Amino acid sequence: MISVLTLVKNRESHLCNLMEGLRRSVPAPAELVIVDMSDTPIARPECDFPVSVLRLDVPGLPLARARNLAAAHARSDRFLFLDVDCIPAAGLCGAMNSSLLQNDALICAEVLYLGAGGVGESWTETGLRATGMRHPARDFPGDGLRREANAGLFWSLAFGVARATFHRIGGFDESFTGYGAEDTDFSFAAREAGLELLFLGGPGAFHQHHGVSDPPLQHFSDIVRNAEIFHRKWGVWPMEGWLARFRDLGLIAWTETSFMVRRQPTEEECLNAARAPDARY
């Protein structure tokens, strides 16, 4: 069976719901590997399947490094990376495992977004499915697999890849530090290696609501640094929507061929951006 890999930083309640989803999975995963970056180490969870907790106590949000660490400690030949905000459907582990046995590809599962208060103490998959919203930019099939030609539509919320394929891609590029672009870089590297991006219909996952900033000014320095690394590597700009918002705020000067940071966001701008309590995406 498949190894499930997740990263957590100060969202232990979301992690508990993810694990409850895995407890209800049929079949159960081979294991859960958790990379804990929380300010206070998480309590060691108990499950009916093996759980490993790897502590990564470093500043910031080193997503590429953390995913590589999880992959290095996973025992299965197939990986399911799940964002800590995601509750897996009961059939996701089995469907992803079967799809990876039949396809040497990068496979994304559909994620439905839940609103505030969308996950109660007695949540059911039927209830989550009734209120979850599909992402407007990603078209998943009702069932089976669909080839997606746009590598930029890869998302790291819920994706599967074989161990050998992960290493063939080269894992996540750890020159991307902090938040932003490391997942798009991974999908571009997969495309460069000749791998297809497939969208999996059917059982997916449910994204638990959390506060968001629009645009994510708390990650401004990470995003602009990683955008420049990505552009040097691939010749195109990632995260164009966020960069455009930064430009509109006068934080950066940005064209197709030039990029310059004009100033850092102010505390007031960060507070204003964070006032989006009902946003799902």
Side-chain angles (χ1 to χ4, degrees):
M1 261 301 287
I2 202 165
S3 292
V4 178
L5 290 64
T6 194
L7 321 177
V8 61
K9 183 162 187 175
N10 305 332
R11 285 191 183 155
E12 198 164 355
S13 62
H14 283 200
L15 175 64
C16 289
N17 286 327
L18 179 153
M19 294 181 65
E20 178 59 29
L22 292 177
R23 288 188 187 96
R24 303 181 192 186
S25 293
V26 181
E31 62 174 340
L32 172 63
V33 180
I34 302 168
V35 176
D36 177 26
M37 301 178 286
S38 304
D39 295 335
T40 301
I42 64 170
R44 186 164 189 86
E46 295 183 3
C47 268
D48 298 334
F49 46 84
V51 179
S52 301
V53 180
L54 309 170
R55 180 72 178 156
L56 184 57
D57 189 8
V58 296
L61 201 61
L63 299 177
R65 179 179 172 185
R67 292 195 184 103
N68 288 342
L69 178 63
H73 285 78
R75 293 178 289 182
S76 172
D77 289 333
R78 291 164 299 284
F79 303 155
L80 169 59
F81 285 86
L82 268 184
D83 189 283
V84 71
D85 298 324
C86 288
I87 300 173
L92 175 58
C93 289
M96 186 63 76
N97 189 65
S98 296
S99 297
L100 290 172
L101 284 170
Q102 298 170 34
N103 300 273
D104 183 21
L106 200 55
I107 304 178
C108 291
E110 183 165 24
V111 176
L112 301 182
Y113 286 77
L114 305 171
V119 184
E121 289 185 6
S122 56
W123 63 266
T124 65
E125 185 172 320
T126 299
L128 299 184
R129 193 172 299 280
T131 60
M133 294 177 58
R134 304 184 78 180
H135 194 283
R138 289 171 171 85
D139 180 25
F140 281 80
D143 195 16
L145 294 163
R146 180 182 70 77
R147 181 178 179 273
E148 173 53 59
N150 183 357
L153 289 180
F154 168 80
W155 60 10
S156 55
L157 290 177
F159 76 93
V161 64
R163 173 194 296 278
T165 304
F166 182 84
H167 291 301
R168 177 176 154 200
I169 294 169
F172 284 84
D173 184 346
E174 295 185 19
S175 63
F176 292 89
T177 56
Y179 182 90
E182 87 294 333
D183 49 357
T184 307
D185 172 78
F186 182 75
S187 68
F188 273 44
R191 183 183 63 186
E192 192 80 358
L195 295 163
E196 289 187 327
L197 173 61
L198 303 177
F199 278 7
L200 173 65
F206 306 93
H207 185 274
Q208 302 172 77
H209 183 271
H210 58 79
V212 298
S213 293
D214 184 24
L217 294 179
Q218 77 275 29
H219 298 299
F220 174 76
S221 295
D222 287 350
I223 289 171
V224 297
R225 181 183 60 250
N226 288 343
E228 290 184 285
I229 293 171
F230 190 98
H231 186 265
R232 287 196 298 269
K233 187 172 180 179
W234 300 108
V236 294
W237 292 102
M239 306 178 287
E240 289 183 303
W242 291 344
L243 294 181
R245 295 287 299 280
F246 294 165
R247 180 178 58 195
D248 292 344
L249 289 170
L251 303 177
I252 63 173
W254 171 52
T255 69
E256 286 298 314
T257 57
S258 65
F259 187 94
M260 183 180 70
V261 174
R262 290 189 177 277
R263 63 177 179 86
Q264 294 291 315
T266 65
E267 183 177 350
E268 182 179 2
E269 286 171 328
C270 291
L271 288 172
N272 289 336
R275 291 169 185 164
D278 297 324
R280 296 198 187 197
Y281 307 112

